[in-house]
Amino acid sequence: MMKLIIFGPPSAGKGTQAQMLSKKYGIPQVATGDLLRDAVAKQTPLGIKIKSYLDTGKLGPDDLIVQLIKDRTSKPDCKNGYLLDGFPRTMGQAVELDKMTSVDLVLNIVVDMEALVERAVGRRICPKCAAVYHIKFNLPKKAGVCDKCGASLIQRDDDKEETVRKRLKVYTEQTAPLIEHFKKKGNLVDIDGSKGIDGVFDQMVKAIDRLKK
Ligand code: AP5
């Protein structure tokens, strides 16, 4: 049983690392952003409510997000643990998570702000399987095509520079304060996110494997 949080600002590499860790440790990635984008694409009642938040880079209401996490983590594939990616993001969500369960480790990816903008603006995603690529740092084998499922890659609507800067501001104001909360609980590890994808992954694996000893 292992419960982890992959924490960090927009486009720090949380999703990229969560997908790699999920494969290595056999526990699912629970990514609020992916779940919300899926709800928007399928035009579910949640998707219809949440669309304007995603488009403008604002955080969705805590009650909707907490319910989404409760529903997802109660699925059978989460029985041996999970990797939370993009949750919690407000103090209210952190308090609700503490009521739900205890987390073994928070992997906090630290990256310089301008590097984050470049990572977000150059990101391309697969709308079918949520695989993540970058036009400079993580190219697919065939331009514009997902290596994993062959679908055409797209740019996220919220990856336009103006929206990215707004998301970074929201992170600084509402999400970064959670670092102190995790520090007090004693389960936060800083990860140097300026390294390449494999260099970041190695640091995370070392931190997780220390936990298992
Ligand atoms: P969400 O999808 O969670 O967006 P985010 O936190 O802004 O994170 P990103 O998905 O942008 O980035 P990432 O850190 O996963 O980076 P990635 O691996 O893709 O949320 C979207 C929206 O949903 C929010 O704005 C909000 O509206 C709503 N929402 C979600 N959760 C919520 C919550 N809890 N409460 C309320 N609302 C919520 O990598 C980025 C790029 O960089 C990729 O192109 C990748 O290939 C590249 N890259 C990755 N690692 C490296 C590296 N080491 N070096 C170079 N390039 C790299």
Side-chain angles (χ1 to χ4, degrees):
M1 171 64 90
M2 186 164 62
K3 291 176 186 167
L4 306 173
I5 295 176
I6 315 288
F7 193 81
S11 69
K14 301 182 296 295
T16 301
Q17 296 299 328
Q19 287 176 7
M20 293 163 80
L21 293 171
S22 169
K23 208 166 155 196
K24 179 170 172 70
Y25 293 102
I27 52 174
Q29 170 198 18
V30 175
T32 38
D34 289 345
L35 293 169
L36 295 173
R37 278 185 289 280
D38 189 51
V40 171
K42 290 181 177 145
Q43 297 190 325
T44 65
L46 169 67
I48 291 163
K49 267 190 212 154
I50 208 81
K51 187 178 182 318
S52 65
Y53 292 91
L54 264 84
D55 289 347
T56 53
K58 287 190 199 139
L59 295 181
D62 281 355
D63 55 343
L64 287 185
I65 305 291
V66 169
Q67 194 54 51
L68 182 72
I69 287 290
K70 282 185 179 163
D71 292 346
R72 178 63 188 90
T73 57
S74 59
K75 297 245 162 82
D77 65 330
C78 289
K79 72 176 190 312
N80 293 324
Y82 42 81
L83 288 146
L84 293 175
D85 162 8
F87 179 89
R89 248 164 145 120
T90 63
M91 197 50 81
Q93 293 177 16
V95 168
E96 289 305 316
L97 177 63
D98 286 344
K99 286 185 204 160
M100 272 165 59
T101 190
S102 62
V103 166
D104 300 291
L105 193 61
V106 181
L107 297 151
N108 177 35
I109 309 178
V110 182
V111 193
D112 171 82
M113 285 287 168
E114 282 312 308
L116 292 170
V117 176
E118 188 183 13
R119 286 185 189 183
V121 173
R123 170 171 38 203
R124 298 293 180 268
I125 61 159
C126 174
K128 210 167 146 200
C129 74
V132 183
Y133 301 89
H134 193 279
I135 54 170
K136 189 167 154 193
F137 304 125
N138 187 16
L139 291 153
K141 289 190 187 92
K142 190 175 165 203
V145 177
C146 179
D147 292 348
K148 292 180 187 156
C149 72
S152 293
L153 302 180
I154 57 162
Q155 184 176 31
R156 271 169 48 176
D157 288 339
D158 60 351
D159 275 345
K160 312 241 162 27
E161 183 166 343
E162 193 193 336
T163 316
V164 171
R165 293 200 184 271
K166 212 186 271 171
R167 285 162 52 209
L168 289 170
K169 189 165 178 278
V170 168
Y171 170 81
T172 305
E173 290 170 359
Q174 299 186 50
T175 307
L178 296 191
I179 291 173
E180 281 310 309
H181 170 79
F182 297 131
K183 273 188 184 159
K184 278 185 199 143
K185 293 172 80 75
N187 57 0
L188 181 108
V189 176
D190 280 343
I191 301 291
D192 178 0
S194 69
K195 308 280 181 223
I197 292 172
D198 291 339
V200 174
F201 184 65
D202 287 348
Q203 295 174 63
M204 292 201 172
V205 168
K206 279 193 188 117
I208 295 167
D209 290 349
R210 271 198 302 274
L211 191 73
K212 291 169 137 190
K213 280 181 191 152

